[in-house]
Amino acid sequence: MKIEKLTPAFKDYLWGGTRLRDVYKKPCDFDKVAESWELSTHPAGESRISDGEYDGVTLNEYFKANPGVLGEHVQKFESFPVLIKLIDAKEPLSIQVHPSDEYALKAEHEYGKTEMWYIVDCDPGASLYFGVNRTVTPEEFRRRIEDNTVEEVLNRVPVRPGDVFFIEAGTLHAIGGGILICEIQQNSNCTYRVYDYGRRGADGQLRELHIDKALDVSRLTPSEDRCKALETQTISGGSMTRLAECRYFTADRFNVESEVNIFIGAGSFVSMTAVEGAGQISGTENTVDFRPGDTMFIPAGSGAVTVRGKSTLIAVGVKGE
């Protein structure tokens, strides 16, 4: 099977900027391009194959036609487990929380969401919220939402490019303004909005909050504010760092100095998103050029794959039990 370059679905949320279009050359004419769903089978926004035999075909259709491309490890899931986004937050996102699978399946008939953030770029002094800065009771938290002081008990974390955050279901969080993120997440769109700074939507109405459900699922004790990345390994032509792993995905950063060889086994597909630099990815069947912001799907069992060109890529797959 060939390596496939993907075309994302786009979202024009009110807090978005224009970097994904203006800097990363995403083909979108929205006034605001808040998110590009790079690898997605979610009905709220499916990505597509961008060239070749399957040009224009949705990822779901491609998988149905070629089930072997997913790999053995994906078979343990009822549906495709991963969703990858690029997020351009010109303004802060709402303070929010995601439920666990157990809660979400009962309340929303959808899976919950665990996710990982990789900071691609940010303005000087940018920060985000990750959890609370001290233990808070549900009663106090509700009161602070109502009297607009909730930010006082949230853990504000300064960020810089290359930082990584692993956000388990139940962790309160919000991306701050001036941050560009690569998000690897469980394949779900289930979010409870806790606080939104009094903003109004396009209809002029205050955006909906989900306070009761959020209080049901939120962890109101402090959490670690950084993902503890495993040791970086030096490999021929560059380096590899395991950023995060969980039941739903693994994420590795490849820093390519010249040429790096990667083996894609039968266990899992690998998705590669270029967050810096340009180059080529070559397999046994074809070669795909990439530039910053591009995402490529490499089928399971592809064997030896070569990445050429000084670049940084986030590689995502699914691990075995």
Side-chain angles (χ1 to χ4, degrees):
M1 299 296 294
K2 293 181 178 179
I3 300 168
E4 302 286 359
K5 186 180 285 189
L6 303 180
T7 298
F10 298 101
K11 301 294 178 180
D12 61 349
Y13 303 133
L14 59 82
W15 42 261
T18 61
R19 277 194 287 185
L20 293 177
R21 180 185 64 237
D22 298 345
V23 177
Y24 291 87
K25 307 304 179 184
K26 295 292 183 181
C28 180
D29 58 3
F30 291 165
D31 289 340
K32 296 181 179 181
V33 189
E35 297 182 353
S36 61
W37 292 21
E38 296 288 313
L39 178 82
S40 172
T41 61
H42 198 281
E46 292 188 64
S47 49
R48 296 176 180 269
I49 307 297
S50 70
D51 201 2
E53 177 185 356
Y54 294 98
D55 185 33
V57 170
T58 67
L59 208 53
N60 263 319
E61 293 168 336
Y62 170 71
F63 290 160
K64 287 176 183 177
N66 304 280
V69 302
L70 294 173
E72 301 163 359
H73 300 162
V74 180
Q75 304 309 313
K76 64 186 176 184
F77 298 100
E78 292 182 12
S79 58
F80 189 64
V82 184
L83 199 164
I84 299 175
K85 302 175 181 177
L86 293 175
I87 301 175
D88 176 19
K90 183 177 181 180
E91 300 176 14
L93 275 69
S94 61
I95 295 162
Q96 55 192 239
V97 68
H98 306 304
S100 66
D101 285 346
E102 181 180 12
Y103 187 96
L105 286 169
K106 288 181 180 179
E108 313 297 342
H109 309 292
E110 182 177 15
Y111 284 94
K113 191 197 295 188
T114 288
E115 61 192 23
M116 188 208 88
W117 291 343
Y118 179 87
I119 309 298
V120 178
D121 194 15
C122 60
D123 294 344
S127 64
L128 53 78
Y129 287 127
F130 185 99
V132 291
N133 56 30
R134 61 172 174 81
T135 299
V136 184
T137 66
E139 293 77 17
E140 180 188 359
F141 199 72
R142 181 188 292 273
R143 174 178 59 78
R144 286 184 173 276
I145 294 170
E146 293 171 350
D147 66 16
N148 300 311
T149 62
V150 69
E151 292 175 84
E152 294 178 10
V153 295
L154 296 176
N155 180 34
R156 183 189 291 272
V157 185
V159 296
R160 59 185 180 182
D163 283 348
V164 179
F165 297 83
F166 185 75
I167 303 165
E168 294 181 288
T171 303
L172 290 154
H173 59 278
I175 303 172
I179 301 177
L180 181 69
I181 279 178
C182 181
E183 177 175 285
I184 297 93
Q185 61 161 85
Q186 194 175 348
N187 187 9
S188 169
N189 201 31
C190 190
T191 297
Y192 295 147
R193 190 181 294 131
V194 177
Y195 183 73
D196 196 40
Y197 321 100
R199 290 186 293 201
R200 296 179 183 272
D203 60 2
Q205 301 299 310
L206 292 171
R207 298 209 298 169
E208 182 183 8
L209 302 181
H210 314 96
I211 297 172
D212 290 337
K213 289 180 177 179
L215 285 171
D216 282 345
V217 304
S218 293
R219 187 180 305 111
L220 297 178
T221 55
S223 305
E224 290 288 336
D225 66 6
R226 286 288 195 280
C227 176
K228 296 298 187 290
L230 302 182
E231 183 178 352
T232 296
Q233 301 176 29
T234 299
I235 57 178
S236 179
S239 64
M240 188 273 282
T241 304
R242 171 58 54 92
L243 301 176
E245 63 178 50
C246 63
R247 181 172 185 267
Y248 310 101
F249 58 80
T250 62
D252 298 303
R253 178 180 62 203
F254 283 90
N255 288 323
V256 181
E257 294 298 329
S258 54
E259 178 177 303
V260 165
N261 293 311
I262 304 168
F263 184 81
I264 312 297
S268 175
F269 72 91
V270 171
S271 170
M272 302 200 80
T273 299
V275 295
E276 186 177 349
Q280 296 179 323
I281 300 181
S282 299
T284 57
E285 298 294 325
N286 67 325
T287 295
V288 173
D289 294 330
F290 67 84
R291 63 187 182 191
D294 284 345
T295 295
M296 286 65 61
F297 180 90
I298 308 174
S302 289
V305 170
T306 301
V307 183
R308 299 181 181 88
K310 187 173 178 60
S311 55
T312 300
L313 301 103
I314 307 298
V316 176
V318 176
K319 69 175 184 177
E321 297 290 354

